[in-house]
Amino acid sequence: DSGVTQTPKHLITATGQRVTLRCSPRSGDLSVYWYQQSLDQGLQFLIQYYNGEERAKGNILERFSAQQFPDLHSELNLSSLELGDSALYFCASSPGISISTGELFFGEGSRLTVL
Amino acid sequence: EDQVTQSPEALRLQEGESSSLNCSYTVSGLRGLFWYRQDPGKGPEFLFTLYSAGEEKEKERLKATLTKKESFLHITAPKPEDSATYLCAVQAVAAGNKLTFGGGTRVLVKP
């Protein structure tokens, strides 16, 4: 158990809809990262928040947005969903602002299926 | 653009049959190379960080090495519980906190 909690574990929705994925980081970790894992693209970095502020942005679509709340939990919002958005979405956390040791603690993921 | 290529895509081993996984990378200034293990239905689990060519790290039956262009993950006398997907990732100096992952190697160790 990494200590990172993600909900929901599974989500099935239709094209055009909007969903919210939630992540609670490990106790004491201030950074939250969101990754997307699909069969053809592998694990892709989306965005990082540190103590409520956006710190780094990767290949995140404009239809996607994220935020980190004062209690440090984070939400990833996916809107106008397309079939290609079907993937596993992972949240990871780390103690500091930078990945100095490379050690990220990943949750078990939220599997999104868009029909 | 930073690139990470892992080979082979899949590997079937008999218990006790040692082997190596390859991670080739192209990055403009390497800050670190990382190995993760991912079990089915789970998130990746951190294994090692390597920072410079010549560096080696060991953990139980796993040993990771790094050169200027690639990294190897050696699995010595594997057991069925070593079955997993092994992911390699790089962090470039210019990329900040973005990790670029390879596609992974699926390892199956049969008893």
Side-chain angles (χ1 to χ4, degrees):
Chain A
D1 183 4
S2 67
V4 177
T5 304
Q6 289 188 248
T7 57
K9 289 193 185 304
H10 301 276
L11 193 54
I12 301 174
T13 189
T15 55
Q17 295 298 304
R18 172 189 171 95
V19 298
T20 297
L21 309 180
R22 182 189 167 104
C23 168
S24 293
R26 280 190 332 155
S27 177
D29 284 357
L30 298 178
S31 274
V32 168
Y33 306 78
W34 286 98
Y35 279 83
Q36 179 192 58
Q37 187 175 43
S38 58
L39 284 175
D40 57 343
Q41 295 281 337
L43 203 57
Q44 300 273 317
F45 170 69
L46 296 179
I47 198 164
Q48 178 206 358
Y49 277 83
Y50 174 78
N51 204 21
E53 302 277 334
E54 182 185 306
R55 287 296 304 177
K57 216 165 185 177
N59 305 321
I60 188 166
L61 299 172
E62 284 191 12
R63 300 183 286 108
F64 296 0
S65 65
Q67 54 184 324
Q68 186 180 28
F69 295 87
D71 66 354
L72 300 178
H73 91 270
S74 178
E75 293 181 356
L76 179 66
N77 300 296
L78 315 174
S79 62
S80 302
L81 286 168
E82 301 175 0
L83 296 177
D85 297 328
S86 295
L88 262 172
Y89 291 85
F90 285 105
C91 169
S93 72
S94 69
I97 196 170
S98 65
I99 311 174
S100 56
T101 64
E103 186 166 11
L104 295 179
F105 296 88
F106 282 82
E108 296 200 343
S110 293
R111 181 174 293 281
L112 173 66
T113 303
V114 182
L115 301 176
Chain B
E1 185 176 321
D2 305 329
Q3 288 191 342
V4 180
T5 303
Q6 292 188 245
S7 61
E9 287 188 9
L11 193 58
R12 293 166 68 97
L13 301 171
Q14 285 297 128
E15 185 172 1
E17 178 188 0
S18 302
S19 188
S20 294
L21 316 182
N22 177 265
C23 169
S24 297
Y25 62 90
T26 303
V27 61
S28 54
L30 180 71
R31 175 169 285 173
L33 184 140
F34 317 107
W35 283 97
Y36 280 80
R37 168 195 171 122
Q38 186 174 20
D39 293 305
K42 304 286 186 181
E45 178 185 346
F46 174 80
L47 291 173
F48 303 111
T49 301
L50 301 166
Y51 293 107
S52 56
E55 192 174 357
E56 298 182 351
K57 291 274 179 71
E58 279 189 75
K59 181 179 180 179
E60 296 181 358
R61 294 174 294 281
L62 301 177
K63 179 180 176 180
T65 62
L66 180 64
T67 72
K68 288 187 177 180
K69 292 185 178 180
E70 56 194 348
S71 177
F72 294 93
L73 184 66
H74 308 278
I75 310 179
T76 303
K79 297 183 177 182
E81 52 263 42
D82 295 322
S83 298
T85 295
Y86 291 87
L87 299 168
C88 170
V90 297
Q91 182 186 21
V93 171
N97 291 325
K98 175 187 173 184
L99 297 189
T100 300
F101 280 84
T105 294
R106 291 191 315 278
V107 174
L108 176 63
V109 182
K110 306 194 91 175

